[in-house]
Amino acid sequence: MPATTKNLITADRIEAGSDFIRVWVFTSDGASAHNLTNHTFTASFRPSFDSSTVFTATVTIVSASAGKILITIPDTETRDYARSAAAQERGGMRGVWDLESVNSSGGRVIRWLEGSWIMTDEATR
């Protein structure tokens, strides 16, 4: 199953100094929920694929049988990244990301989502 492209831009962009919170539901065939029992998720955000600078999201399974997850990046993480040296470089407030899971009942790794992201800076500090 190839990953679905999900660009976190415009309405889904990340905002520096704010919590990023999204709930997503995964389906197997476009209609029925994908069962996420035994899956452990990780999501990483980088300025570029070869960058060692990374920030991560916490991914919680809300309902395994309904295929529902909650992805969060706390305000402290978005604020710290926006003030980092990587963010201060040209183009550093944008990058690439993906969401993967490992199924513990077989070790299979699945990349669910991938794409680009934009983080807007904040004026209030």
Side-chain angles (χ1 to χ4, degrees), residues 17-72:
S18 293
D19 294 312
F20 178 84
I21 302 168
R22 300 291 185 276
V23 175
W24 290 320
V25 176
F26 295 111
T27 58
S28 296
D29 56 11
S32 58
H34 188 91
N35 192 327
L36 302 176
T37 301
N38 300 320
H39 286 259
T40 303
F41 283 86
T42 56
S44 295
F45 297 77
R46 299 176 187 274
S48 64
F49 288 111
D50 60 349
S51 175
S52 60
T53 301
V54 63
F55 63 96
T56 59
T58 300
V59 184
T60 307
I61 297 175
V62 175
S63 174
S65 62
K68 186 183 285 188
I69 66 165
L70 171 69
I71 181 168
T72 59

Side-chain angles (χ1 to χ4, degrees), residues 7-15 20 22 118-120:
N7 294 320
L8 301 177
I9 57 176
T10 60
D12 267 337
R13 73 186 180 275
I14 301 167
E15 297 172 324
F20 178 84
R22 300 291 185 276
I118 291 175
M119 183 183 295
T120 56

